[in-house]
Amino acid sequence: MEFKHVSVLLNECLEGLNIKEDGIYVDCTLGGAGHSSEIIKRLDKSGLLIGIDQDTDALNAAGLRLKDYDNKKLVHSNFYNIKNILDELDIEGVDGILMDLGVSSYQLDTGERGFSYMQDAPLDMRMNRENALSAYDVVNTYSEEEIYRIIKDYGEEKFAKRIANFIVTRREEKPIETTLELVEVIKNAIPAKARREGPHPAKRTFQAIRIEVNSELTILNKTIEDGVSKLNKGGRMAIITFHSLEDRIVKLKFRELANPCTCPKEFPICNCGKTPTVKLLKRKAIEPSKEEVEVNPRSRSAKLRVIEKI
């Protein structure tokens, strides 16, 4: 299957990054190179695109899409390692960093990857298939309390306790091995009325397990800090999120970097000595237009936030 990922908020990202022809730009979530192919078009030969992805399928597809460009470096790694990656490339500073935290259409639509609750496949959900931990391990080896915490915190699922209990009860008979087996357990745990309303009953639980398998939230704060430390003055960081937990982390970290003062509000002047490292380009997140949502319904929950190094 072709690796495709409809680039969400593409024009808004390009505008937010304020691309310079001779700049150095890092796409931390390269995917099928949708955003990157547009970034590199705007660079001259002295500019450089660095693409990072932990999915080898994505890297292979991106390599093909960008084959006509020499001013690129593609790296198989997690964006958590951005600082080390740039150090190893002897790059002191960059002019822009982009992160698209969504799961690609390819990963969702390729059944064997185990991300989708609509297709039967082995429980996997690893973005980097070299990692040891899979969805199977979470579902079949985590304690009921751990599963409950993950589904409640990462999925914001109000029936998390029942789902965790049903999972543990079911796996006592035999391991839960496939996505549709897990969907069946989740559906049985959620009351019929709730199943008929709102999104697919398995959506939040699958999201939660995927986040746990790929450590998606735990690595965000450090990645943002390390990325900002590598931005040149005037360089920008743009991050697209797809659910409230991610967006809250990004919003709070950006706000902290833009206003790090820890002095009590009643202090007339700052005594802590902490100064801003970035400025917020917009206080509110940028959301997709009605037209974009109609063309690509998966963009509905996307939010873009942009900061500039000062």
Side-chain angles (χ1 to χ4, degrees):
M1 180 178 174
E2 181 191 357
F3 196 110
K4 60 181 171 57
H5 179 47
V6 180
S7 300
V8 174
L9 292 163
L10 177 60
N11 293 328
E12 292 84 350
C13 285
L14 296 170
E15 183 183 335
L17 289 171
N18 192 30
I19 295 165
K20 301 187 297 186
E21 289 183 342
D22 61 348
I24 301 175
Y25 293 87
V26 184
D27 187 343
C28 289
T29 46
L30 183 62
H35 289 101
S36 279
S37 62
E38 293 300 321
I39 292 171
I40 205 166
K41 281 179 191 174
R42 288 159 173 77
L43 303 180
D44 60 26
K45 292 192 183 301
S46 62
L48 177 66
L49 171 77
I50 300 160
I52 304 169
D53 209 293
Q54 58 184 335
D55 188 334
T56 51
D57 288 351
L59 285 172
N60 292 333
L64 283 172
R65 188 165 189 175
L66 303 175
K67 67 181 187 302
D68 295 331
Y69 298 94
D70 296 324
N71 53 336
K72 68 180 186 298
K73 292 187 184 294
L74 306 186
V75 182
H76 180 222
S77 188
N78 189 300
F79 60 54
Y80 179 78
N81 301 313
I82 184 171
K83 199 169 185 179
N84 291 337
I85 291 166
L86 293 175
D87 286 344
E88 287 171 11
L89 293 172
D90 289 325
I91 293 172
E92 289 186 17
V94 302
D95 299 293
I97 296 171
L98 173 66
M99 295 183 219
D100 175 352
L101 302 181
V103 182
S104 74
S105 301
Y106 171 85
Q107 289 169 330
L108 285 171
D109 296 337
T110 304
E112 68 189 60
R113 301 299 297 271
F115 288 100
S116 175
Y117 43 79
M118 303 297 287
Q119 300 182 59
D120 201 20
L123 274 175
D124 193 333
M125 300 194 199
R126 291 173 298 170
M127 291 183 182
N128 182 351
R129 289 191 276 191
E130 294 177 7
N131 287 347
L133 185 70
S134 71
Y136 177 91
D137 301 315
V138 173
V139 169
N140 289 289
T141 68
Y142 277 30
S143 70
E144 183 173 338
E145 185 60 33
E146 286 174 317
I147 294 172
Y148 162 66
R149 177 190 59 79
I150 289 164
I151 298 173
K152 176 176 173 287
D153 292 351
Y154 295 166
E156 299 178 300
E157 170 61 72
K158 66 179 178 179
F159 297 107
K161 204 163 195 65
R162 277 178 62 84
I163 293 169
N165 177 258
F166 274 54
I167 286 172
V168 171
T169 302
R170 170 68 179 271
R171 77 188 192 194
E172 285 173 358
E173 301 170 19
K174 70 177 216 50
I176 300 169
E177 298 182 350
T178 71
T179 51
L180 292 191
E181 283 178 22
L182 180 58
V183 169
E184 181 192 358
V185 175
I186 295 166
K187 283 182 174 177
N188 289 337
I190 296 177
K193 185 174 183 293
R195 289 202 306 271
R196 290 192 293 269
E197 300 168 354
H200 190 286
K203 181 178 180 179
R204 294 188 180 94
T205 298
F206 268 62
Q207 170 187 293
I209 295 170
R210 190 201 80 219
I211 288 170
E212 172 67 13
V213 167
N214 296 289
S215 304
E216 292 175 38
L217 298 181
T218 56
I219 65 176
L220 250 184
N221 275 316
K222 183 177 184 299
T223 304
I224 293 170
E225 288 175 5
D226 286 351
V228 167
S229 75
K230 282 293 192 178
L231 280 176
N232 293 324
K233 184 177 179 181
R236 294 184 176 185
M237 176 181 283
I239 302 182
I240 305 170
T241 61
F242 286 84
H243 58 79
S244 58
L245 293 170
E246 289 173 339
D247 184 57
R248 195 178 307 137
I249 290 171
V250 173
K251 178 174 69 174
L252 293 177
K253 177 53 69 175
F254 279 9
R255 192 184 293 168
E256 177 192 319
L257 293 169
N259 183 22
C261 177
T262 55
C263 296
K265 287 183 180 177
E266 59 269 20
F267 275 29
I269 58 169
C270 173
N271 288 326
C272 72
K274 294 181 179 178
T275 56
T277 52
V278 306
K279 66 178 180 182
L280 304 174
L281 293 186
K282 289 194 176 181
R283 297 203 68 80
K284 287 192 168 184
I286 300 164
E287 298 183 6
S289 65
K290 205 184 299 182
E291 292 77 19
E292 178 170 2
V293 173
E294 284 175 6
V295 173
N296 178 20
R298 284 177 178 165
S299 71
R300 187 179 294 109
S301 57
K303 290 186 176 181
L304 171 67
R305 295 185 186 272
V306 187
I307 51 174
E308 181 176 296
K309 184 83 170 275
I310 55 178

